[in-house]
Amino acid sequence: MVDLNVDEWTQEEFLRNKKELEAQGIKVLLIDTILNPIDGIETTLYAPPLLKNEEPGSVFVFYCDTGKSSKERLAEFRTKFPDHVCISLRGGRGYWRKHLRV
């Protein structure tokens, strides 16, 4: 069972939870807030008007370079996207290991 009442997911948690949630029909998006996509995984550019069109209940996992500012902005994201689950990627882009798989 995936806990969606958290502020952060590690990369491993993101990969594991994405697989489990998408098997249940819940979309999980890795949101790029710094205009710098992560190699080896699909990312979605932070564009609020487009993100608001995503299915209610979708999970948005925001990342920045270190994970610090995306975590600090969670309240803003949650206000902006009340119909979606908003989580920060712990360590951000800097801690992403492109060969880590689950």
Coordinates of all heavy atoms in Angstrom, one line a residue:
M1 N 0.8 -1.2 0.0 CA 0.0 0.0 0.0 C 0.9 1.2 0.0 O 1.8 1.4 0.8 CB -0.9 0.0 1.2 CG -1.9 1.1 1.3 SD -3.2 0.7 0.1 CE -4.2 2.1 0.3
V2 N 0.6 2.1 -0.9 CA 1.4 3.3 -1.1 C 0.9 4.4 -0.2 O -0.3 4.7 -0.2 CB 1.4 3.8 -2.5 CG1 2.2 5.1 -2.7 CG2 2.0 2.8 -3.5
D3 N 1.8 5.0 0.6 CA 1.4 6.1 1.5 C 1.5 7.5 0.7 O 2.6 7.9 0.4 CB 2.3 6.2 2.7 CG 1.9 7.3 3.7 OD1 0.9 7.9 3.5 OD2 2.7 7.4 4.7
L4 N 0.4 8.1 0.5 CA 0.4 9.3 -0.3 C 0.4 10.6 0.6 O 0.3 11.7 0.2 CB -0.8 9.4 -1.2 CG -0.8 8.3 -2.3 CD1 -2.1 8.4 -3.1 CD2 0.4 8.4 -3.2
N5 N 0.4 10.3 1.9 CA 0.3 11.4 2.9 C 1.7 11.8 3.4 O 1.9 11.9 4.6 CB -0.6 11.1 4.1 CG -2.0 10.9 3.6 OD1 -2.5 11.8 2.9 ND2 -2.7 9.9 4.0
V6 N 2.7 11.9 2.5 CA 4.0 12.2 2.8 C 4.5 13.4 2.0 O 3.8 13.8 1.0 CB 5.0 11.0 2.6 CG1 4.7 9.8 3.5 CG2 5.0 10.6 1.1
D7 N 5.6 14.0 2.4 CA 6.1 15.2 1.7 C 7.1 14.8 0.7 O 7.3 15.5 -0.3 CB 6.7 16.2 2.7 CG 5.6 16.9 3.5 OD1 4.5 16.9 3.1 OD2 6.0 17.5 4.6
E8 N 7.8 13.7 0.9 CA 8.9 13.3 0.0 C 8.9 11.9 -0.3 O 8.5 11.0 0.5 CB 10.3 13.6 0.7 CG 10.6 15.1 0.9 CD 12.0 15.2 1.5 OE1 12.2 14.7 2.6 OE2 12.8 15.9 0.9
W9 N 9.4 11.6 -1.5 CA 9.8 10.2 -1.9 C 11.2 10.2 -2.3 O 11.7 11.1 -3.0 CB 8.9 9.7 -3.1 CG 7.5 9.3 -2.8 CD1 7.0 9.0 -1.5 CD2 6.5 9.0 -3.7 NE1 5.7 8.6 -1.7 CE2 5.4 8.6 -3.0 CE3 6.5 9.1 -5.1 CZ2 4.2 8.2 -3.6 CZ3 5.3 8.7 -5.7 CH2 4.2 8.3 -5.0
T10 N 11.9 9.1 -2.0 CA 13.3 8.9 -2.5 C 13.1 8.4 -4.0 O 11.9 8.1 -4.4 CB 14.0 7.8 -1.7 OG1 13.3 6.6 -1.9 CG2 14.2 8.2 -0.3
Q11 N 14.1 8.3 -4.7 CA 14.1 7.8 -6.1 C 13.5 6.4 -6.1 O 12.6 6.0 -6.9 CB 15.4 7.8 -6.7 CG 15.4 7.2 -8.1 CD 16.8 7.1 -8.8 OE1 17.7 7.6 -8.2 NE2 16.8 6.5 -10.0
E12 N 14.0 5.6 -5.2 CA 13.5 4.2 -5.1 C 12.0 4.1 -4.8 O 11.3 3.3 -5.4 CB 14.3 3.4 -4.0 CG 13.9 2.0 -3.9 CD 14.7 1.2 -2.9 OE1 15.7 1.7 -2.4 OE2 14.4 0.0 -2.6
E13 N 11.6 5.0 -3.8 CA 10.1 5.0 -3.5 C 9.3 5.5 -4.7 O 8.3 4.9 -5.0 CB 9.9 5.9 -2.3 CG 10.4 5.4 -1.0 CD 10.4 6.4 0.1 OE1 10.6 7.6 -0.1 OE2 10.1 6.0 1.3
F14 N 9.9 6.5 -5.4 CA 9.2 7.0 -6.6 C 9.0 5.8 -7.6 O 7.9 5.6 -8.1 CB 9.9 8.1 -7.2 CG 9.5 8.5 -8.6 CD1 8.3 9.2 -8.8 CD2 10.2 8.0 -9.7 CE1 7.8 9.5 -10.1 CE2 9.7 8.3 -11.0 CZ 8.6 9.1 -11.2
L15 N 10.1 5.1 -7.9 CA 10.0 4.1 -8.9 C 9.1 3.0 -8.5 O 8.2 2.5 -9.3 CB 11.4 3.5 -9.2 CG 12.4 4.5 -9.9 CD1 13.8 4.0 -9.9 CD2 11.9 4.9 -11.3
R16 N 9.1 2.5 -7.2 CA 8.3 1.5 -6.7 C 6.8 1.9 -6.7 O 5.9 1.2 -7.2 CB 8.8 1.0 -5.3 CG 8.1 -0.2 -4.8 CD 8.6 -0.7 -3.5 NE 9.9 -0.2 -3.0 CZ 10.0 0.8 -2.0 NH1 8.9 1.3 -1.5 NH2 11.2 1.2 -1.6
N17 N 6.6 3.1 -6.1 CA 5.2 3.6 -6.0 C 4.6 3.9 -7.4 O 3.4 3.7 -7.6 CB 5.2 4.8 -5.1 CG 5.6 4.5 -3.7 OD1 5.5 3.4 -3.2 ND2 6.0 5.5 -2.9
K18 N 5.4 4.4 -8.3 CA 4.9 4.7 -9.6 C 4.3 3.4 -10.3 O 3.2 3.3 -10.8 CB 6.0 5.3 -10.5 CG 5.5 5.6 -11.9 CD 6.7 6.3 -12.7 CE 6.4 6.4 -14.2 NZ 5.3 7.3 -14.5
K19 N 5.1 2.3 -10.2 CA 4.7 1.1 -10.8 C 3.4 0.5 -10.1 O 2.5 0.1 -10.8 CB 5.9 0.0 -10.6 CG 5.6 -1.3 -11.2 CD 6.8 -2.3 -11.0 CE 8.0 -1.8 -11.7 NZ 9.1 -2.8 -11.6
E20 N 3.4 0.6 -8.8 CA 2.2 0.1 -8.1 C 1.0 0.9 -8.4 O -0.1 0.4 -8.6 CB 2.5 0.1 -6.6 CG 1.3 -0.5 -5.7 CD 1.6 -0.6 -4.3 OE1 2.8 -0.7 -3.9 OE2 0.7 -0.6 -3.5
L21 N 1.1 2.3 -8.3 CA 0.0 3.2 -8.5 C -0.6 3.1 -10.0 O -1.8 3.1 -10.2 CB 0.3 4.6 -8.2 CG 0.5 4.9 -6.7 CD1 1.1 6.2 -6.5 CD2 -0.8 4.7 -5.9
E22 N 0.4 3.0 -10.9 CA -0.1 2.9 -12.3 C -0.7 1.6 -12.6 O -1.6 1.5 -13.5 CB 1.1 3.3 -13.3 CG 1.4 4.7 -13.2 CD 2.5 5.2 -14.2 OE1 3.2 4.4 -14.8 OE2 2.5 6.5 -14.3
A23 N -0.4 0.5 -11.9 CA -1.1 -0.7 -12.0 C -2.5 -0.6 -11.5 O -3.4 -1.4 -12.0 CB -0.3 -1.8 -11.3
Q24 N -2.8 0.4 -10.7 CA -4.1 0.6 -10.1 C -4.9 1.7 -11.0 O -6.0 2.1 -10.6 CB -4.0 1.1 -8.7 CG -3.4 0.1 -7.7 CD -3.2 0.7 -6.4 OE1 -3.9 1.7 -6.0 NE2 -2.2 0.2 -5.6
G25 N -4.2 2.2 -12.0 CA -4.8 3.2 -12.9 C -4.6 4.6 -12.5 O -5.3 5.5 -12.9
I26 N -3.7 4.8 -11.5 CA -3.4 6.2 -11.0 C -2.1 6.7 -11.7 O -1.1 6.1 -11.7 CB -3.2 6.2 -9.5 CG1 -4.5 5.7 -8.8 CG2 -2.8 7.6 -9.0 CD1 -4.4 5.5 -7.3
K27 N -2.2 7.8 -12.4 CA -1.1 8.4 -13.1 C -0.1 9.1 -12.2 O -0.5 9.8 -11.3 CB -1.6 9.4 -14.1 CG -0.6 9.9 -15.2 CD -1.3 10.7 -16.2 CE -0.4 11.0 -17.3 NZ -1.0 11.8 -18.4
V28 N 1.2 8.8 -12.4 CA 2.2 9.4 -11.6 C 3.1 10.2 -12.5 O 3.7 9.6 -13.4 CB 3.0 8.4 -10.8 CG1 4.1 9.0 -10.0 CG2 2.1 7.6 -9.9
L29 N 3.3 11.5 -12.3 CA 4.1 12.3 -13.2 C 5.3 12.9 -12.4 O 5.2 13.4 -11.3 CB 3.3 13.5 -13.7 CG 2.1 13.2 -14.6 CD1 1.3 14.4 -14.8 CD2 2.6 12.6 -15.9
L30 N 6.5 12.8 -13.0 CA 7.7 13.4 -12.4 C 7.8 14.8 -13.0 O 8.0 15.0 -14.3 CB 8.9 12.6 -12.8 CG 10.2 13.0 -12.1 CD1 10.1 13.0 -10.6 CD2 11.3 12.1 -12.6
I31 N 7.6 15.9 -12.2 CA 7.5 17.2 -12.7 C 8.8 18.0 -12.6 O 9.3 18.2 -11.5 CB 6.4 18.0 -11.9 CG1 5.1 17.2 -11.8 CG2 6.2 19.4 -12.5 CD1 4.4 17.0 -13.1
D32 N 9.3 18.5 -13.7 CA 10.5 19.3 -13.8 C 10.2 20.7 -13.5 O 9.6 21.4 -14.3 CB 11.1 19.1 -15.2 CG 12.3 19.9 -15.5 OD1 12.8 20.6 -14.6 OD2 12.8 19.8 -16.7
T33 N 10.7 21.2 -12.4 CA 10.5 22.7 -12.1 C 11.7 23.5 -12.4 O 11.7 24.7 -12.1 CB 10.2 22.8 -10.5 OG1 11.4 22.4 -9.8 CG2 9.0 22.0 -10.1
I34 N 12.7 22.9 -13.0 CA 14.0 23.7 -13.2 C 14.4 23.7 -14.7 O 15.5 24.1 -15.0 CB 15.1 23.1 -12.4 CG1 15.3 21.6 -12.6 CG2 14.9 23.5 -10.9 CD1 16.5 21.0 -11.9
L35 N 13.5 23.3 -15.6 CA 13.9 23.2 -17.0 C 15.1 22.4 -17.3 O 15.9 22.7 -18.1 CB 14.0 24.6 -17.6 CG 12.8 25.5 -17.5 CD1 13.1 26.9 -18.0 CD2 11.6 25.0 -18.2
N36 N 15.2 21.3 -16.6 CA 16.4 20.4 -16.7 C 15.9 18.9 -16.5 O 15.9 18.4 -15.4 CB 17.5 20.8 -15.7 CG 18.8 20.2 -16.1 OD1 19.0 19.4 -17.0 ND2 19.8 20.6 -15.3
P37 N 15.5 18.3 -17.6 CA 15.0 16.9 -17.5 C 16.0 15.9 -17.0 O 17.2 16.1 -17.1 CB 14.5 16.6 -18.9 CG 15.2 17.6 -19.8 CD 15.5 18.7 -19.0
I38 N 15.5 14.9 -16.4 CA 16.4 13.8 -15.9 C 16.6 12.8 -17.0 O 15.6 12.3 -17.6 CB 15.8 13.2 -14.6 CG1 15.7 14.2 -13.5 CG2 16.6 12.0 -14.2 CD1 15.1 13.7 -12.2
D39 N 17.8 12.4 -17.3 CA 18.1 11.4 -18.3 C 17.5 10.0 -17.9 O 17.7 9.6 -16.7 CB 19.6 11.3 -18.6 CG 20.2 12.5 -19.2 OD1 19.5 13.2 -19.9 OD2 21.4 12.7 -19.0
G40 N 16.9 9.4 -18.8 CA 16.5 8.0 -18.6 C 15.1 7.8 -18.0 O 14.7 6.7 -17.8
I41 N 14.4 8.9 -17.8 CA 13.0 8.8 -17.3 C 12.2 9.9 -17.9 O 12.7 11.0 -18.1 CB 13.0 8.8 -15.8 CG1 11.6 8.4 -15.3 CG2 13.4 10.1 -15.2 CD1 11.5 7.5 -14.1
E42 N 10.9 9.6 -18.1 CA 10.0 10.6 -18.6 C 9.7 11.7 -17.6 O 9.4 11.3 -16.5 CB 8.8 10.0 -19.1 CG 7.8 11.0 -19.7 CD 6.5 10.3 -20.2 OE1 6.4 9.1 -20.3 OE2 5.6 11.0 -20.5
T43 N 9.9 12.9 -17.9 CA 9.6 14.0 -17.0 C 8.5 14.9 -17.7 O 8.4 14.9 -19.0 CB 10.8 14.9 -16.6 OG1 11.4 15.4 -17.8 CG2 11.8 14.0 -15.9
T44 N 7.8 15.7 -16.9 CA 6.8 16.6 -17.4 C 7.2 18.0 -17.0 O 7.5 18.2 -15.8 CB 5.4 16.3 -16.9 OG1 5.1 14.9 -17.3 CG2 4.4 17.2 -17.4
L45 N 7.2 19.0 -17.9 CA 7.6 20.3 -17.6 C 6.5 21.0 -16.7 O 5.3 20.8 -16.9 CB 7.7 21.1 -18.9 CG 8.2 22.6 -18.8 CD1 9.6 22.6 -18.2 CD2 8.2 23.2 -20.1
Y46 N 6.9 21.7 -15.7 CA 6.0 22.4 -14.8 C 5.3 23.5 -15.6 O 5.8 24.5 -15.9 CB 6.8 23.0 -13.6 CG 5.9 23.7 -12.6 CD1 4.9 23.1 -11.9 CD2 6.1 25.1 -12.5 CE1 4.1 23.8 -11.0 CE2 5.3 25.8 -11.6 CZ 4.3 25.2 -10.9 OH 3.5 25.8 -10.0
A47 N 4.0 23.2 -15.9 CA 3.2 24.2 -16.6 C 1.8 24.1 -16.0 O 1.0 23.2 -16.3 CB 3.1 23.8 -18.1
P48 N 1.5 24.9 -14.9 CA 0.3 24.8 -14.2 C -1.0 24.7 -15.0 O -1.9 23.8 -14.7 CB 0.3 26.0 -13.3 CG 1.7 26.3 -13.1 CD 2.4 25.9 -14.4
P49 N -1.2 25.5 -16.1 CA -2.5 25.3 -16.8 C -2.7 23.9 -17.4 O -3.8 23.4 -17.5 CB -2.4 26.4 -17.9 CG -1.4 27.4 -17.4 CD -0.4 26.6 -16.6
L50 N -1.6 23.3 -17.9 CA -1.6 22.0 -18.5 C -1.8 20.9 -17.4 O -2.5 19.9 -17.5 CB -0.4 21.7 -19.3 CG -0.2 22.6 -20.5 CD1 1.1 22.3 -21.2 CD2 -1.4 22.5 -21.5
L51 N -1.1 21.1 -16.3 CA -1.1 20.1 -15.2 C -2.5 20.0 -14.6 O -3.0 19.0 -14.1 CB -0.1 20.4 -14.1 CG 1.4 20.2 -14.5 CD1 2.3 20.7 -13.4 CD2 1.6 18.8 -14.8
K52 N -3.2 21.2 -14.5 CA -4.6 21.2 -14.0 C -5.5 20.3 -14.8 O -6.6 19.9 -14.3 CB -5.1 22.6 -13.9 CG -4.4 23.4 -12.8 CD -5.0 24.8 -12.6 CE -4.3 25.5 -11.5 NZ -4.8 26.9 -11.3
N53 N -5.2 20.0 -16.0 CA -6.0 19.2 -16.9 C -5.8 17.7 -16.6 O -6.5 16.9 -17.2 CB -5.7 19.5 -18.3 CG -6.2 20.8 -18.7 OD1 -7.1 21.4 -18.2 ND2 -5.5 21.4 -19.7
E54 N -4.8 17.3 -15.8 CA -4.5 15.9 -15.5 C -5.7 15.4 -14.7 O -6.3 16.1 -13.9 CB -3.2 15.7 -14.8 CG -2.0 16.0 -15.6 CD -1.8 15.1 -16.8 OE1 -2.3 13.9 -16.7 OE2 -1.1 15.4 -17.8
E55 N -5.9 14.1 -14.8 CA -7.0 13.4 -14.1 C -6.9 13.7 -12.6 O -5.8 13.6 -12.0 CB -6.8 11.9 -14.3 CG -7.9 11.0 -13.8 CD -9.2 11.2 -14.6 OE1 -9.2 11.5 -15.8 OE2 -10.3 11.0 -13.9
P56 N -8.0 14.1 -11.9 CA -8.0 14.2 -10.4 C -7.5 12.9 -9.8 O -7.8 11.8 -10.2 CB -9.5 14.5 -10.1 CG -10.0 15.1 -11.4 CD -9.3 14.4 -12.5
G57 N -6.7 13.1 -8.7 CA -6.1 12.0 -8.1 C -4.7 11.6 -8.6 O -4.1 10.7 -8.0
S58 N -4.3 12.2 -9.7 CA -3.0 11.9 -10.2 C -2.0 12.4 -9.2 O -2.2 13.3 -8.4 CB -2.8 12.7 -11.5 OG -3.6 12.2 -12.5
V59 N -0.8 11.8 -9.3 CA 0.3 12.1 -8.3 C 1.3 12.9 -9.1 O 1.9 12.4 -10.1 CB 0.9 10.8 -7.7 CG1 2.0 11.2 -6.8 CG2 -0.2 10.0 -7.0
F60 N 1.7 14.1 -8.5 CA 2.7 14.9 -9.1 C 3.9 14.9 -8.1 O 3.8 15.2 -7.0 CB 2.2 16.4 -9.2 CG 1.1 16.6 -10.1 CD1 0.4 17.8 -10.0 CD2 0.7 15.7 -11.1 CE1 -0.7 18.1 -10.9 CE2 -0.3 15.9 -11.9 CZ -1.0 17.1 -11.9
V61 N 5.0 14.4 -8.7 CA 6.3 14.4 -7.9 C 7.2 15.4 -8.5 O 7.7 15.3 -9.6 CB 6.9 13.0 -7.9 CG1 8.2 13.0 -7.1 CG2 5.9 11.9 -7.5
F62 N 7.4 16.5 -7.7 CA 8.1 17.7 -8.2 C 9.6 17.5 -7.8 O 9.9 17.0 -6.8 CB 7.6 19.0 -7.5 CG 6.2 19.3 -7.9 CD1 5.1 18.8 -7.1 CD2 5.9 20.1 -9.0 CE1 3.8 19.1 -7.4 CE2 4.6 20.4 -9.3 CZ 3.5 19.9 -8.5
Y63 N 10.4 18.0 -8.7 CA 11.9 18.0 -8.4 C 12.5 19.3 -8.8 O 12.1 20.0 -9.8 CB 12.6 16.8 -9.0 CG 12.8 16.8 -10.5 CD1 14.0 17.4 -11.1 CD2 11.9 16.3 -11.4 CE1 14.2 17.5 -12.4 CE2 12.1 16.4 -12.8 CZ 13.2 17.0 -13.3 OH 13.4 17.0 -14.6
C64 N 13.6 19.6 -8.1 CA 14.5 20.7 -8.5 C 15.9 20.1 -8.5 O 16.1 18.9 -8.6 CB 14.4 21.8 -7.5 SG 14.7 21.3 -5.8
D65 N 16.9 20.9 -8.3 CA 18.3 20.4 -8.3 C 18.6 19.6 -7.1 O 19.3 18.5 -7.2 CB 19.3 21.5 -8.5 CG 19.4 22.0 -9.9 OD1 19.4 21.2 -10.9 OD2 19.5 23.2 -10.1
T66 N 18.2 20.0 -5.9 CA 18.6 19.4 -4.7 C 17.4 18.8 -3.9 O 17.6 18.1 -2.9 CB 19.3 20.4 -3.7 OG1 18.4 21.4 -3.4 CG2 20.5 21.0 -4.4
G67 N 16.2 19.1 -4.3 CA 15.0 18.7 -3.5 C 14.6 19.6 -2.5 O 13.5 19.6 -2.0
K68 N 15.4 20.6 -2.2 CA 15.1 21.6 -1.1 C 14.0 22.5 -1.5 O 13.0 22.7 -0.8 CB 16.4 22.3 -0.7 CG 16.2 23.3 0.4 CD 17.4 24.0 0.9 CE 17.1 24.9 2.0 NZ 18.2 25.8 2.3
S69 N 14.1 23.2 -2.6 CA 13.1 24.2 -3.0 C 11.8 23.5 -3.4 O 10.7 24.1 -3.1 CB 13.6 25.2 -4.1 OG 14.0 24.5 -5.2
S70 N 11.8 22.4 -4.0 CA 10.6 21.7 -4.4 C 9.8 21.3 -3.1 O 8.6 21.4 -3.0 CB 10.8 20.5 -5.3 OG 11.6 19.5 -4.7
K71 N 10.6 20.9 -2.0 CA 9.9 20.5 -0.8 C 9.4 21.8 -0.1 O 8.3 21.8 0.4 CB 10.9 19.8 0.2 CG 10.2 19.4 1.4 CD 11.1 18.6 2.3 CE 10.4 18.2 3.6 NZ 11.2 17.6 4.6
E72 N 10.2 22.9 -0.2 CA 9.7 24.2 0.4 C 8.5 24.7 -0.3 O 7.7 25.4 0.4 CB 10.8 25.2 0.4 CG 11.9 24.9 1.3 CD 13.1 25.8 1.2 OE1 13.1 26.7 0.2 OE2 14.1 25.8 2.0
R73 N 8.3 24.4 -1.5 CA 7.1 24.9 -2.3 C 5.9 23.9 -2.3 O 4.9 24.2 -3.0 CB 7.6 25.1 -3.8 CG 8.6 26.3 -3.9 CD 9.0 26.5 -5.3 NE 7.9 26.9 -6.2 CZ 8.0 26.8 -7.5 NH1 9.1 26.4 -8.1 NH2 7.0 27.2 -8.2
L74 N 6.0 22.9 -1.5 CA 4.9 21.9 -1.5 C 3.6 22.5 -1.2 O 2.5 22.2 -1.8 CB 5.2 20.7 -0.6 CG 5.9 19.5 -1.1 CD1 6.1 18.5 -0.1 CD2 5.2 19.0 -2.3
A75 N 3.5 23.4 -0.2 CA 2.3 24.1 0.2 C 1.7 24.9 -1.0 O 0.5 24.8 -1.3 CB 2.5 25.0 1.4
E76 N 2.6 25.6 -1.7 CA 2.1 26.3 -2.9 C 1.6 25.3 -4.0 O 0.5 25.5 -4.6 CB 3.3 27.0 -3.5 CG 3.1 27.6 -4.9 CD 4.4 28.1 -5.6 OE1 5.4 28.4 -4.9 OE2 4.4 28.2 -6.8
F77 N 2.3 24.2 -4.2 CA 1.8 23.2 -5.2 C 0.5 22.6 -4.8 O -0.4 22.4 -5.6 CB 2.9 22.1 -5.4 CG 4.2 22.5 -5.9 CD1 5.4 22.0 -5.5 CD2 4.3 23.5 -6.9 CE1 6.6 22.3 -6.0 CE2 5.5 23.9 -7.5 CZ 6.7 23.3 -7.0
R78 N 0.4 22.3 -3.5 CA -0.9 21.7 -3.0 C -2.1 22.6 -3.1 O -3.2 22.2 -3.4 CB -0.7 21.2 -1.6 CG 0.2 19.9 -1.6 CD 0.6 19.5 -0.2 NE 1.3 18.2 -0.3 CZ 2.1 17.8 0.7 NH1 2.2 18.4 1.8 NH2 2.7 16.6 0.5
T79 N -1.8 23.9 -2.9 CA -2.9 24.9 -3.1 C -3.2 25.1 -4.6 O -4.4 25.2 -4.9 CB -2.4 26.3 -2.6 OG1 -2.1 26.2 -1.2 CG2 -3.4 27.4 -2.7
K80 N -2.2 25.1 -5.4 CA -2.4 25.2 -6.9 C -3.1 24.0 -7.5 O -3.9 24.1 -8.5 CB -1.1 25.5 -7.5 CG -1.2 26.2 -8.8 CD 0.2 26.6 -9.3 CE 0.6 27.9 -8.7 NZ 1.8 28.5 -9.2
F81 N -2.9 22.8 -6.9 CA -3.4 21.6 -7.5 C -4.1 20.8 -6.4 O -3.7 19.7 -6.0 CB -2.3 20.7 -8.1 CG -1.4 21.4 -9.0 CD1 -0.1 21.8 -8.7 CD2 -1.9 21.7 -10.3 CE1 0.7 22.5 -9.6 CE2 -1.1 22.4 -11.2 CZ 0.2 22.8 -10.9
P82 N -5.3 21.3 -5.9 CA -6.0 20.6 -4.8 C -6.6 19.3 -5.2 O -6.8 18.5 -4.2 CB -7.1 21.6 -4.4 CG -7.3 22.4 -5.7 CD -5.9 22.5 -6.4
D83 N -6.7 19.0 -6.4 CA -7.3 17.7 -6.8 C -6.3 16.6 -7.1 O -6.6 15.5 -7.6 CB -8.2 17.9 -8.1 CG -9.4 18.8 -7.8 OD1 -9.9 18.8 -6.7 OD2 -9.8 19.5 -8.8
H84 N -5.0 17.0 -6.9 CA -3.9 16.1 -7.1 C -3.1 15.9 -5.9 O -3.1 16.7 -5.0 CB -3.0 16.6 -8.3 CG -3.8 16.9 -9.5 ND1 -4.5 18.1 -9.7 CD2 -4.1 16.1 -10.6 CE1 -5.1 18.0 -10.9 NE2 -4.9 16.8 -11.4
V85 N -2.3 14.8 -5.9 CA -1.4 14.5 -4.8 C 0.0 15.1 -5.2 O 0.5 14.9 -6.2 CB -1.2 13.0 -4.5 CG1 -0.2 12.7 -3.4 CG2 -2.6 12.4 -4.2
C86 N 0.5 16.0 -4.3 CA 1.8 16.6 -4.6 C 2.9 16.2 -3.6 O 2.7 16.2 -2.4 CB 1.6 18.1 -4.5 SG 0.5 18.8 -5.7
I87 N 4.0 15.7 -4.1 CA 5.1 15.2 -3.3 C 6.4 15.7 -3.9 O 6.5 16.0 -5.1 CB 5.1 13.6 -3.4 CG1 3.8 13.1 -2.8 CG2 6.3 13.0 -2.7 CD1 3.6 11.6 -2.9
S88 N 7.4 15.8 -3.1 CA 8.7 16.3 -3.6 C 9.7 15.1 -3.7 O 9.6 14.1 -2.9 CB 9.3 17.3 -2.6 OG 10.6 17.7 -2.9
L89 N 10.6 15.1 -4.7 CA 11.6 14.1 -4.9 C 12.8 14.4 -4.0 O 13.4 15.4 -4.2 CB 12.0 14.0 -6.3 CG 13.0 12.9 -6.6 CD1 12.4 11.6 -6.5 CD2 13.6 13.1 -8.0
R90 N 13.0 13.6 -3.0 CA 14.1 13.8 -2.0 C 15.4 13.8 -2.8 O 15.7 12.9 -3.5 CB 14.1 12.7 -0.9 CG 15.3 13.0 0.1 CD 15.3 12.0 1.2 NE 14.1 12.2 2.0 CZ 13.4 11.3 2.7 NH1 13.9 10.0 2.7 NH2 12.4 11.5 3.4
G91 N 16.2 14.8 -2.6 CA 17.6 14.9 -3.2 C 17.5 15.5 -4.6 O 18.6 15.8 -5.1
G92 N 16.3 15.6 -5.2 CA 16.2 16.2 -6.5 C 17.0 15.5 -7.6 O 17.3 14.4 -7.5
R93 N 17.2 16.3 -8.6 CA 17.9 15.8 -9.8 C 19.3 15.4 -9.4 O 19.9 14.4 -10.0 CB 17.9 16.9 -10.8 CG 18.5 16.5 -12.1 CD 18.5 17.7 -13.1 NE 18.7 17.2 -14.5 CZ 19.9 16.9 -14.9 NH1 21.0 17.0 -14.1 NH2 20.1 16.5 -16.2
G94 N 19.9 16.1 -8.5 CA 21.3 15.8 -8.1 C 21.6 14.4 -7.5 O 22.7 13.8 -7.7
Y95 N 20.5 13.8 -6.9 CA 20.7 12.5 -6.3 C 20.1 11.4 -7.2 O 20.1 10.2 -6.8 CB 20.1 12.4 -4.9 CG 21.0 13.1 -3.9 CD1 20.9 14.4 -3.7 CD2 21.9 12.3 -3.2 CE1 21.7 15.1 -2.7 CE2 22.7 12.9 -2.3 CZ 22.6 14.3 -2.1 OH 23.4 14.9 -1.1
W96 N 19.6 11.7 -8.4 CA 19.0 10.7 -9.3 C 20.1 9.8 -9.8 O 21.1 10.2 -10.4 CB 18.3 11.4 -10.4 CG 17.5 10.4 -11.2 CD1 17.9 9.7 -12.3 CD2 16.1 10.0 -11.0 NE1 16.9 8.9 -12.8 CE2 15.8 9.0 -12.0 CE3 15.2 10.3 -10.0 CZ2 14.5 8.4 -12.0 CZ3 13.9 9.7 -10.0 CH2 13.6 8.8 -11.0
R97 N 19.9 8.5 -9.7 CA 20.8 7.5 -10.2 C 20.1 6.8 -11.4 O 19.1 6.1 -11.3 CB 21.1 6.4 -9.1 CG 21.7 7.0 -7.9 CD 23.1 7.7 -8.2 NE 23.5 8.4 -7.0 CZ 23.7 9.8 -7.0 NH1 23.4 10.5 -8.1 NH2 24.2 10.4 -5.9
K98 N 20.6 7.1 -12.6 CA 19.9 6.7 -13.8 C 19.9 5.2 -14.0 O 19.1 4.7 -14.8 CB 20.4 7.4 -15.1 CG 21.8 7.0 -15.5 CD 22.2 7.8 -16.7 CE 23.6 7.5 -17.2 NZ 24.0 8.2 -18.4
H99 N 20.7 4.4 -13.3 CA 20.8 3.0 -13.5 C 20.0 2.3 -12.4 O 19.9 1.0 -12.4 CB 22.2 2.5 -13.5 CG 23.0 3.0 -14.7 ND1 22.6 2.7 -16.0 CD2 24.0 3.9 -14.7 CE1 23.5 3.4 -16.8 NE2 24.3 4.1 -16.1
L100 N 19.4 3.0 -11.4 CA 18.6 2.4 -10.3 C 17.3 1.9 -10.9 O 16.6 2.7 -11.5 CB 18.4 3.4 -9.2 CG 17.6 2.9 -8.0 CD1 18.2 1.7 -7.3 CD2 17.3 4.0 -7.0
R101 N 17.0 0.7 -10.7 CA 15.7 0.1 -11.1 C 15.1 -0.7 -10.0 O 15.8 -1.2 -9.1 CB 15.9 -0.8 -12.3 CG 16.5 -0.2 -13.5 CD 15.5 0.7 -14.2 NE 16.1 1.4 -15.4 CZ 16.4 2.7 -15.4 NH1 16.2 3.5 -14.4 NH2 16.9 3.2 -16.5
V102 N 13.8 -0.8 -10.0 CA 13.1 -1.6 -9.0 C 12.4 -2.8 -9.7 O 12.0 -2.7 -10.8 CB 12.2 -0.8 -8.1 CG1 12.9 0.2 -7.3 CG2 11.1 -0.1 -8.9

